Amino acid sequence: MTLRIRNRIMLVMFLMSALFAIFSLILFIFTFFNKSIVPPTDVLRLIDFGKSDFFLVTYNFSASVLASALFLVYVVLTFFLMFMQFEKTQAIEIFYFCGFLLACLCEGIKCLIPLFGLWQTFSSRLLLLGRLVLLGKMLAPMSILLVSLFNNFEQKQDSEKNLTIAITVCAIFSLIIPINTSMVYSSNALSWGFSGFFFIMRALIFFVAIISFVIKIFLINNIASSRVILSQIIWLSLAIFGYAVLSMADNFLFLAIGALFLFIPTMKFLKTTHQLYA
C-alpha cells in the first residue's frame, strides 16, 4: 500500500466518523428536547456492585450514553491526530490501528439504541446495531494483534489484505454468535450468547498481541528502538484497559477511568510510534 492510498483511506474514515458523530449529536439534541429518550427498564450489569448506593458506582443511564459519545469523540480526534502526524510517514502500525478505531466507532453506535428507543422493539435495525457492536468487540483485539505482528516495513504491501481478512473474520463471528434482543446490557449493548467464551477469546488475543511486542524487543539489537517499543507496549496496554472499561461503563466511575486511560495513553502511543519513523 502506498502512502497516498493509506492517507486517502484514513481521510475517508475520519470524514465518516465525523459525520456520524455530528448526526448523533443532532439526534441527541432533537430527542432530548422532545423528551423521547426512554432509558431501558430492565438491564443486565456486566459488573454488579451489589447493594452499594455510592453514587459513582450505581447504574446511571446518562453515564452509559456519555460513554458511547466519548467513543465517537475519541475516534474523530484520533483520526485527525493520526492524519496530521503521519501524513508523510510510512508507519504500518497506524494503518492497522485504524481497525481499532473502527471498533471504537462500533462502540459509539450503541448510542443509537436508546436514542431511537430500539430496545423497546425487536426490529431488524436493533439486530443490525447489535451485530455491529459485536463486530467491533471482535475487531478491537484483532486490530491490536495486527499492529504487533505485521508492523515491519517489508510487510506494507499486505497491510490492506490483512486488515480486510481481519474485518471479514470478525464479521463472520458477529453473524454466528447468537444475540438476545430481549436483554440489554447496562452499557446499552445487546446481550450475546457464549459470553464467557467470547470474553476469554478476546482477552487471549489482546494477551498474544502484547506478548508479540515483548518478543520483538528481544529480537532487536538496537537499544533505542527497544526502549521505544517498550513504551509502545505500556501505552497500548493502558489504552486497551481504558477501552475495556469505557465499553462497559454504566456509572460515572467507569466513565472517568475509561476515558482517562483511553485518551491519554493513545496520544502517548501515537507520539511514541512517530519516534520510530522520525
Side-chain angles (χ1 to χ4, degrees):
M1 173 183 292
T2 63
L3 189 62
R4 186 176 181 180
I5 294 177
R6 190 209 65 182
N7 289 339
R8 286 183 177 178
I9 293 176
M10 288 175 56
L11 181 61
V12 170
M13 290 181 178
F14 166 70
L15 294 176
M16 179 182 66
S17 57
L19 288 175
F20 181 75
I22 294 173
F23 167 75
S24 300
L25 176 61
I26 295 174
L27 179 63
F28 172 77
I29 295 174
F30 176 79
T31 53
F32 177 79
F33 283 102
N34 281 274
K35 298 180 180 181
S36 56
I37 301 178
V38 182
T41 54
D42 186 18
V43 295
L44 178 64
R45 300 197 70 180
L46 291 170
I47 297 181
D48 193 354
F49 289 91
K51 298 181 179 180
S52 175
D53 56 355
F54 184 49
F55 76 100
L56 287 179
V57 298
T58 55
Y59 168 66
N60 191 293
F61 173 71
S62 299
S64 62
V65 175
L66 283 175
S68 299
L70 282 177
F71 269 117
L72 297 179
V73 174
Y74 167 77
V75 171
V76 175
L77 177 62
T78 306
F79 266 129
F80 177 77
L81 292 177
M82 285 168 48
F83 188 79
M84 296 299 293
Q85 293 183 14
F86 296 91
E87 182 181 5
K88 299 180 181 180
T89 305
Q90 188 66 272
I92 310 301
E93 298 98 323
I94 295 306
F95 179 72
Y96 291 133
F97 196 73
C98 290
F100 178 74
L101 294 182
L102 289 179
C104 292
L105 182 63
C106 290
E107 290 290 339
I109 288 177
K110 293 188 300 185
C111 68
L112 297 181
I113 294 178
L115 293 183
F116 280 117
L118 295 178
W119 64 271
Q120 298 173 305
T121 69
F122 300 96
S123 65
S124 57
R125 289 182 298 170
L126 177 62
L127 186 61
L128 174 61
L129 290 177
R131 297 207 177 277
L132 285 176
V133 173
L134 198 57
L135 167 64
K137 291 185 179 298
M138 278 298 302
L139 184 58
M142 288 294 291
S143 299
I144 300 300
L145 183 63
L146 292 177
V147 171
S148 65
L149 292 179
F150 304 105
N151 52 19
N152 294 327
F153 185 75
E154 295 79 8
Q155 299 169 319
K156 68 174 183 177
Q157 297 298 332
D158 297 326
S159 55
E160 67 271 28
K161 181 180 69 176
N162 293 335
L163 186 58
T164 301
I165 292 175
I167 294 176
T168 303
V169 171
C170 294
I172 293 175
F173 266 97
S174 67
L175 292 174
I176 293 176
I177 297 178
I179 291 181
N180 184 7
T181 56
S182 63
M183 178 61 67
V184 181
Y185 284 120
S186 54
S187 60
N188 292 326
L190 297 179
S191 60
W192 53 82
F194 311 108
S195 57
F197 169 77
F198 186 69
F199 173 80
I200 294 175
M201 182 173 61
R202 294 175 68 221
L204 283 176
I205 296 175
F206 275 130
F207 179 74
V208 171
I210 298 303
I211 292 300
S212 299
F213 268 116
V214 175
I215 294 175
K216 186 178 179 180
I217 292 180
F218 293 100
L219 296 178
I220 294 180
N221 296 324
N222 192 309
I223 298 178
S225 297
S226 297
R227 290 177 177 175
V228 174
I229 295 175
L230 180 60
S231 297
Q232 281 185 309
I233 295 173
I234 295 173
W235 294 123
L236 193 58
S237 300
L238 292 176
I240 292 171
F241 172 75
Y243 159 81
V245 174
L246 191 62
S247 64
M248 59 182 179
D250 62 357
N251 56 68
F252 286 108
L253 178 63
F254 279 16
L255 179 69
I257 294 175
L260 180 66
F261 279 90
L262 180 61
F263 278 77
I264 297 178
T266 296
M267 304 303 114
K268 294 290 186 180
F269 170 75
L270 295 179
K271 183 179 179 180
T272 303
T273 302
H274 192 270
Q275 294 177 6
L276 287 173
Y277 301 88

